[in-house]
Amino acid sequence: MQYKSQAVAKPYFIAAIGLFIGQILFGLIMGLQYVVGDFLFPEIPFNVARMVHTNLLIVWLLFGFMGASYYLVPEETETELFSPKLAIAMFWVFLVAGALTILGYLLVPYAALAKMTGNDILNTMGREFLEQPLPTKLGIVVVALAFLFNITMTLLKGRKTAISLVLVLGLAGLAGFFLFSFYNPANLVKDKFYWWWVVHLWVEGVWELILGSILAFVLIKVTGVDREVIEKWLYVIITMTLVTGIIGTGHHYYWIGTPEYWKWWGSIFSALEPIPFFMMTVFAFNMVNRRRREHPNKAATLWALGTGVMAFLGAGLWGFLHTLAPVNYYTHGTQITAAHGHLSFYGAYVAVVLTMISYAMPILRGRAANSEKSQVMEMWAFWLMSISMFFITLFLTGAGILQVWLQRVSATPMSFMAVQDQISLFYWAREGTGMVFLIGLIVYVCSFFVKGEAKATT
């Protein structure tokens, strides 16, 4: 660890993994409720389990992004973090606010929670992924602004690199677009139009800048390839990301009452969105093949390569499968959407956060890399999680194709619930592979506690 202030990343990483485990547990609960409808009812209804599952995903990834930023920015700027105390204070604010919000979901009926937290003063609740009560949303804004202030002040007093500048641009976009979560117009078309400014422009816009900068940082460290080469790749990738991602928001505007031209704009530009993810895959493998040194942390290198491949498959290939308007007309809102969502989130953002944790946590604990035994265990975790997520995606895709046929294409279409009974086998298979994913995650956590001879930092 080159700079003492990098140590503030450690609690962020630990919290991220803890919340990740919680997310997967609620995903398994929800998956079982698909086929056993009264499982844990009325204690944890399906809508609550889903809300907790998706909110934990967002929160733990934000913890991961913050931890990654606090680790890499001091190295990139070659200076200590502006205020480690502010970083730790915001960590506790964010963690407590997140925990109280989840407890609120689980213990209080949602309508009562809305009334208790001032939703009648400023109506912001009730929308998918943005279900957080008003105090939580305000807390997220405070944490995000304090975080941005800390990172920006560090950047201003130190060296400026492409990686740190792209990262800060992505983080600023993350904070800025979240402000649209406070705008909840009564008109449903406007509501959905601006709702996507948070959801889409996060995951298919500014988050990709964060992804690219973290991946570039790790690849510089583990390969020894010249910074100039990696930064040129980074500039090209983020340019394609922004060009395709911003206009590609239109693929969410097909059926919500917006002008018809969005069918063309959305189809064309979202069809180009796989390009930056393919470039990212080529970038990762190219840098590893050109490496000038064999870094002792082989597990982190595997995660970096896996990020490129899985992101291309999930966000690129599976996104392309149903992004064209004539296809989306039939597939919209089916399990094909769920398949794309699972693999893209895992491949792009889960994997890159785990890449950073895999690289940084050994250094934060005083070693260049974990022991050989630990790394073998971690690589097993990578394959267990990645393969099981791929099969989850395949099973959901199968369910979605059958759902489209039985419910929307057949000459004698069936009702929604009748179709759900017909595709329940896919849900059982998804639940089984979800258990394998949880095992892989447990193996990943356990790998950090495996003792053995570890290479000391130089």
Side-chain angles (χ1 to χ4, degrees):
M1 190 167 63
Q2 296 183 36
Y3 301 92
K4 290 181 180 180
S5 57
Q6 287 178 290
V8 302
K10 191 173 181 180
Y12 280 89
F13 289 151
I14 294 171
I17 294 299
L19 294 170
F20 185 21
I21 294 171
Q23 183 220 339
I24 300 307
L25 289 174
F26 275 92
L28 289 171
I29 290 171
M30 187 173 63
L32 193 55
Q33 288 175 339
Y34 263 87
V35 284
V36 183
D38 59 353
F39 179 67
L40 292 182
F41 185 84
E43 289 78 14
I44 306 179
F46 177 84
N47 66 306
V48 173
R50 187 180 189 278
M51 193 159 53
V52 173
H53 178 65
T54 54
N55 277 238
L56 282 174
L57 168 67
I58 295 166
V59 171
W60 90 256
L61 287 176
L62 292 179
F63 269 105
F65 291 159
M66 290 179 181
S69 303
Y70 283 135
Y71 183 87
L72 72 84
V73 165
E75 284 197 25
E76 287 294 301
T77 58
E78 296 181 342
T79 184
E80 293 286 358
L81 194 63
F82 176 75
S83 177
K85 290 182 179 179
L86 179 62
I88 293 298
M90 288 301 102
F91 165 79
W92 288 110
V93 169
F94 197 21
L95 186 64
V96 171
L100 290 176
T101 302
I102 298 301
L103 288 174
Y105 292 158
L106 293 171
L107 301 177
V108 182
Y110 192 70
L113 182 64
K115 190 173 182 179
M116 290 168 52
T117 55
N119 194 58
D120 53 340
I121 299 172
L122 181 61
N123 180 16
T124 69
M125 296 175 67
R127 289 178 292 171
E128 187 181 9
F129 302 121
L130 303 178
E131 300 95 345
Q132 305 85 18
L134 179 60
T136 303
K137 285 189 173 77
L138 292 172
I140 291 173
V141 170
V142 171
V143 170
L145 289 177
F147 168 65
L148 265 178
F149 172 77
N150 212 349
I151 293 296
T152 304
M153 293 301 292
T154 307
L155 182 64
L156 290 175
K157 71 173 183 171
R159 180 182 67 158
K160 283 76 175 173
T161 67
I163 289 174
S164 59
L165 291 171
V166 169
L167 177 67
V168 170
L169 178 62
L171 295 171
L174 185 156
F177 285 119
F178 182 72
L179 295 177
F180 285 96
S181 68
F182 291 91
Y183 180 54
N184 191 4
N187 183 293
L188 188 60
V189 176
K190 289 184 178 180
D191 170 43
K192 283 297 181 184
F193 188 92
Y194 290 107
W195 179 78
W196 285 114
W197 283 33
V198 183
V199 179
H200 173 95
L201 291 174
W202 263 14
V203 301
E204 295 175 69
V206 293
W207 280 27
E208 290 184 34
L209 306 189
I210 300 170
L211 160 65
S213 57
I214 294 173
L215 188 60
F217 173 81
V218 174
L219 287 172
I220 286 175
K221 298 299 180 181
V222 300
T223 65
V225 173
D226 288 341
R227 174 178 291 272
E228 291 77 9
V229 175
I230 288 181
E231 288 183 345
K232 286 177 183 177
W233 273 90
L234 181 60
Y235 280 132
V236 174
I237 289 171
I238 66 164
T239 300
M240 286 299 301
T241 294
L242 292 176
V243 169
T244 61
I246 292 175
I247 305 177
T249 310
H251 69 237
H252 298 296
Y253 295 162
Y254 295 155
W255 323 117
I256 65 171
T258 50
E260 191 173 353
Y261 59 74
W262 280 115
K263 293 178 184 178
W264 286 98
W265 283 95
S267 295
I268 292 169
F269 280 89
S270 63
L272 298 175
E273 284 188 57
I275 295 175
F277 286 103
F278 179 73
M279 293 171 67
M280 202 173 294
T281 304
V282 175
F283 162 59
F285 277 87
N286 192 21
M287 294 307 104
V288 171
N289 288 335
R290 295 172 62 174
R291 61 181 176 261
R292 295 183 175 182
R293 62 167 177 259
E294 288 290 337
H295 195 276
N297 196 335
K298 296 177 182 178
T301 306
L302 177 62
W303 276 109
L305 293 174
T307 297
V309 174
M310 300 301 283
F312 170 68
L313 291 174
L317 182 58
W318 253 262
F320 179 77
L321 287 177
H322 67 138
T323 198
L324 301 178
V327 178
N328 189 265
Y329 180 79
Y330 295 98
T331 63
H332 186 81
T334 67
Q335 293 300 327
I336 292 176
T337 304
H340 162 57
H342 278 77
L343 191 57
S344 59
F345 263 103
Y346 173 77
Y349 303 117
V350 172
V352 81
V353 169
L354 295 182
T355 298
M356 191 64 182
I357 294 174
S358 178
Y359 170 76
M361 276 298 280
I363 299 172
L364 291 169
R365 299 168 71 189
R367 62 197 73 163
N370 287 328
S371 67
E372 192 70 28
K373 290 181 180 179
S374 174
Q375 289 194 57
V376 168
M377 195 171 178
E378 186 181 342
M379 288 188 277
W380 268 101
F382 166 84
W383 288 112
L384 283 170
M385 285 193 280
S386 299
I387 293 173
S388 60
M389 182 54 71
F390 187 71
F391 273 94
I392 287 171
T393 303
L394 288 179
F395 292 136
L396 287 174
T397 303
I401 292 171
L402 194 56
Q403 182 183 8
V404 168
W405 176 258
L406 294 175
Q407 189 177 326
R408 301 181 177 181
V409 178
S410 171
T412 55
M414 300 171 62
S415 68
F416 175 82
M417 291 307 296
V419 171
Q420 296 303 299
D421 286 338
Q422 294 296 314
I423 60 179
S424 61
L425 178 62
F426 290 101
Y427 293 147
W428 280 113
R430 185 264 303 269
E431 185 73 3
T433 47
M435 290 297 298
V436 176
F437 187 93
L438 177 62
I439 292 169
L441 178 55
I442 293 170
V443 171
Y444 179 83
V445 173
C446 291
S447 70
F448 287 91
F449 297 95
V450 173
K451 294 183 179 180
E453 186 177 348
K455 184 173 180 180
T457 55
T458 55

